[in-house]
Every structure is written in structure tokens, then in C-alpha cells.
Amino acid sequence: MLSRVVNVLFCLTVAVGPLLMGSYYGAYRWPLLILATLTGVLGLLVVPPQSKKVSFWVLVVAVLGLMLQGGWMWYNARTFLIENEIYEGVHYLWHLEPVAGQPYPGLPGAVDKAQAWDRLSYVLPCLLLVLSVRQLVAHQVIKLRTMCGCVFWVGVFVAGLGLAQRLSGAEGIYWMDVVDLRGRGYFFATYRSPGIAATYLNMALMLGVAHFFAEVRTRAKSYQRGAAYPICVLIGVLLVFVASIFAGSKAAAVMAVCGLLLWIAGSARMSLRILRYFPLLFPSGSSRERNIILGAIGGAFLLGGLALSETVVERWKGSHEGGYGTLVARQEANKVQVAMVEDEEWGAMGFGPGAFYVLFPIYVEVADADINERWDYAHNDYLQTYVEWGWLGGGMFAVLVAGGFWGGSKSGWLKTAGHKKTHVLYVRGGAIAMVCCMVQALIDFPLQIESIGVIFAILVGAGWGVNSLGRRGAVSEGRKTTQRLT
């Protein structure tokens, strides 16, 4: 019973984030954070954190270490931010006041207590999800099919909403007041930034391709007739791809194409098998029906991508004519963050979660950067994490992400023996989705966005757990426990 509750909460967690304005500002973020926390806690109750694998305990140490570091930096915060408000009779536009009675003044603490909590309220549920999903996937309480299918179909809905908005000329979500972003008409679906929207859609796209391959293979191998659902999945993949191009992000559009090419290059033999399996789903078993359907959808891919790529083309053209001003600005922001790291107050624990937002205007002058506006996020998640968490926390984050990516890549390409072919397909999709997000994180801030960060944490946790789905891994994790829970 409890395992079913966890599955329901998991699906709600995946769905709520993207549908509630991306869950990255205001009150829209709390339903996702609450659901993510509940999923993480109940998941660990269903499958307690225990394993004989060394890698599992490396994961536990990294997760607990980051939780302790973040909690300590918040607890020992040195200041709190006064921004555009009246405090003790004085109107402050921007000011840092010392925290009265700081517990340990000689030890590191966060720059601002409120901003530290704002970030920790999102980071801690994600860390909990990494550990919980690892256990749930390893013990097959949550199936890879469920995980990837939920992310994909929510992505299809977001893609459809975004395409409808753009084609109808809407400036915001139909059922809400218009939310404008500095006067620019870049609002796409439930996201206020084309780069963030397209990054999310690219992750859903890569998982959707895996879902299509897995469904065709499973149905063909079990002699299950009926191609309706696989065709619906393929149409959904088409919608998500076209929406990713139409959103208008230059880099994300390139990643959508490169991600699909990576799928083709890394799964060429499997792609050919899927083509052979597909006719088996039709009553006639004819390859002619397969060719007509796949040809029509493939043509729609090409025509849709070309016909709706005007926004991306115009943005690339404008960027070229403007001397790639946005890239130059991001390089200037990177220079500001280098100045933060070079400050003698920065150390093993960094400046604390949420410090970038507070310190950026101060260090712009220190770095003599050509920036005349305040940035909420760094447009470089790696440098921002390094600034806020230091080399100690940054190293633990690197272990988490690298371990999840390596586990997924190894099970998806290098050591597939002992794994079900459908597991291999889903793991490949997850690994490519992580690549799309991590590349985008070099020039944008997807990992600072709650709805994307939660999905990324789920993929990382699954990467840590998929090795246990093989025949040998299942024995070491305890198959009896899995059978009892499911």
C-alpha cells in the first residue's frame, strides 16, 4: 500500500512543478517542494537506506555532507539583506545588516539568512530525492517506465500549451494574468524564459524517444497487437521537438537537434531493430503501413522544425548583428564570480547558498565588469555553485552528478549485459537528458529552477540505482525485499 502511495506522490511531483509556472518564484514553488519532500521521506520509509555497495555509501556521505553544510551555513549566517524597504525608520535600497547574536562569528556562515533558506528549501528536497529515488529504482518500487513516461507526457502538455500560445499570439498562460518579462514576448508555456522552457522540453524529448523505443520493443516481443499508443508517443515526441525549436532559445534548439543525433549515433542498431519490430504491432504485419506512418511523422518533424524555427533564426541573426552581446555579458558575469572566489573570505564552504544574488552587485565593482543590471542567477550553474558552496560543497555536488551520470551511461552503453533491453533504453534516455541539461547549465541557469532541478535530481538518483537492476545487482540489493514491497 505504501509503495502505491509513493508512486502517486512521485507522479504528482513530476507533474506539479512544470505546470505551476515552473515553480521557480513566489508561492508557486511550495506545492512542488512539499511533494518532493514527502516523496523523498516516504520513499526512504518504503526502502530504508541500506546496501552492501560501496557506491551507495559514497552517495549517502555526499548527500548528508551537503545537507549538513547547507544547514550549518544557514544557522551561522552573518547578515540579512535589507532591500527596498524601511528598516528602523530608514529607507534602504540595498543593505546588509549583521545578524544579532551570530552563534559562531569566527566560523563560516551564509551571507544572508533569508536567501540561504530560499535556496535550501529547494536544494534539500532535491538531495533527499536523489537518495530516495536511488533506493526506489534499485528495488523496483518505481519502474523506469513510470518515471520516464510521467516526465514525457507532462512535457507534451507543456509543449502543446506553448505552441498554442505562440500560434495564437498570447503573452501568457490563458488562465492567468499576463506575466511579462522585461517587455519581451518570450513567454513560453508555463515558463518565463525560452531557454529554461526549452531545456525542460529537451529533457522530456530525450525521455520520450526512449519511451517510444521501449514501447515498440515490449509490445513486439510480447506479440501484443495495437500500434495506437506507440504512435501517440511518437506524435508527442514530434510536438515536444517542435516546441523546443519554437521556444526561441538559440542554445537549446541546437541541443534538441544534437540530442536526437546522439540518440541515433548511440543506438543505431536498436533503431534498426525498432523499425523491424514496428510492423508486428499492426494486424496486417505489413511494413508498408509502418513506412507510411513513420514517413508522415518524419516529414512533420522536418517541416515543423523548419517552419517554426524562424524565432531561433531571428535570435541568432540579432545576436550576430549585436556582436553576441548576451554571450559577452555572461563572460563579464563569470569574471565577477571569479572575483568572488578570489576574495579571502571565500573558503571551503563558499559564501553560502543564495549568496550570488546578494553579492553580485557588490563584486561587479570589484571585478570592474561591464554590467549595469542586477542578476538573480549567474547564467553558469557551475560557477554559481562553486561560489556559494565552496570547493567542499562543490566537490560533493560533483560526486553526486558524476556518479549518477556514470551509472546511467555505464548501464546504458558500456555494460548492458544482465539488464533488460527496455531498462537500457530508458537509462540511455536519462543520460542524454542529463547531457542536455548540463550543457545548457554552462550558459544558463536550469539547475536553479525548481521544476527542472527536481527532474534532474530524479535522473541522478536513477543513475545511481540502475546498476542494481541487472541480475547480479538485484541479488546484492535484495530481491525478496522488492517482491514484498511491490
Side-chain angles (χ1 to χ4, degrees), residues 14 25 27 68 184-185 220 242 246 284 288 364 443 464 477 480:
V14 168
Y25 69 97
L68 291 173
R184 298 179 299 185
V242 172
F246 200 28
S284 64
R288 181 178 299 176
V364 165
I443 55 173
W464 280 91
E477 288 290 343
K480 293 181 179 179

Side-chain angles (χ1 to χ4, degrees), residues 1-153:
M1 179 63 184
L2 191 56
S3 62
R4 293 181 181 178
V5 173
V6 170
N7 272 272
V8 172
L9 284 174
F10 178 85
C11 293
L12 288 175
T13 299
V14 168
V16 162
L19 299 183
L20 286 180
M21 298 291 287
S23 299
Y24 66 104
Y25 69 97
Y28 295 101
R29 63 199 299 265
W30 289 107
L32 172 64
L33 299 182
I34 292 170
L35 282 170
T37 303
L38 286 175
T39 303
V41 171
L42 288 180
L44 293 178
L45 290 178
V46 171
V47 186
Q50 57 183 357
S51 176
K52 296 180 180 179
K53 293 179 175 293
V54 175
S55 60
F56 171 78
W57 293 107
V58 171
L59 173 63
V60 170
V61 169
V63 168
L64 292 181
L66 287 167
M67 288 181 172
L68 291 173
Q69 178 180 334
W72 169 262
M73 295 296 280
W74 169 83
Y75 172 72
N76 202 44
R78 297 172 290 168
T79 59
F80 62 92
L81 179 65
I82 307 294
E83 183 183 8
N84 198 27
E85 63 181 54
I86 296 176
Y87 179 70
E88 294 184 353
V90 180
H91 184 207
Y92 290 102
L93 293 176
W94 186 273
H95 190 70
L96 282 169
E97 282 287 330
V99 173
Q102 179 189 3
Y104 300 95
L107 296 176
V111 172
D112 177 62
K113 202 175 188 72
Q115 289 298 319
W117 169 245
D118 180 78
R119 286 289 83 193
L120 286 175
S121 62
Y122 149 61
V123 172
L124 294 180
C126 286
L127 291 173
L128 193 62
L129 271 179
V130 171
L131 184 58
S132 178
V133 169
R134 188 273 174 198
Q135 290 297 90
L136 294 172
V137 168
H139 291 270
Q140 302 184 60
V141 177
I142 289 180
K143 306 294 185 182
L144 293 178
R145 180 180 186 272
T146 301
M147 183 183 74
C148 295
C150 284
V151 175
F152 168 65
W153 284 116

Side-chain angles (χ1 to χ4, degrees), residues 194-204 244 249 252 433 436-437 440 444 446 452:
I196 296 304
T199 301
Y200 165 74
L201 291 173
N202 284 342
M203 297 175 74
S244 179
S249 171
C436 291
C437 186
Q440 191 76 20
D444 226 320
I452 296 178

Side-chain angles (χ1 to χ4, degrees), residues 382-401:
Y382 304 105
L383 268 179
Q384 181 172 342
T385 301
Y386 196 51
V387 166
E388 295 185 345
W389 291 83
W391 57 261
L392 179 61
M396 287 189 285
F397 272 117
V399 168
L400 280 184
V401 176

Side-chain angles (χ1 to χ4, degrees), residues 15 50 69 71 81-82 89 105 131 158 177 195 197 209 246 253 279 306 319 358 373 386 409 433:
Q50 57 183 357
Q69 178 180 334
L81 179 65
I82 307 294
L131 184 58
V158 172
D177 294 335
V209 175
F246 200 28
L306 292 176
S319 182
V358 180
E373 58 184 1
Y386 196 51
S409 300

